Amino acid sequence: MMNKQLSAREQCLIGEMIDGQVEAVFRWGIIVDLGLSRVGLIDALYIDDGDRYEVGGRVSCYLDCFDERKDKFILRPPGQISLAERLGRSVD
């Protein structure tokens, strides 16, 4: 399904590995500047105890989807299963 809020280039990136720079680190997730129209979010459910994210650090993640409610791209670190699979439902 095409999202009218995103450019054609951004829509083509869904499902692809993408690099970005950490903008902010919170208990609820990591905000990543992707160089796109919106920032990315690595949800806290993807963050393990040994993971270290620092502002200014580089990250590579899969661009899983665009969350219209959050107005952010949802990012998934390599080796992790999607939140939809973890929660047993689809993320709209």
Side-chain angles (χ1 to χ4, degrees), residues 18-23 30 32-35 42 52-61:
I18 190 166
D19 296 324
Q21 184 171 3
V22 175
E23 268 189 6
I30 310 300
V32 180
D33 179 0
L34 304 168
I42 302 172
R52 297 287 176 251
Y53 292 95
E54 295 182 10
V55 173
R58 302 291 300 169
V59 295
S60 294
C61 292

Side-chain angles (χ1 to χ4, degrees), residues 5 42 49 59 64 71 79:
Q5 296 182 25
I42 302 172
D49 290 339
V59 295
D64 265 358
D71 198 36

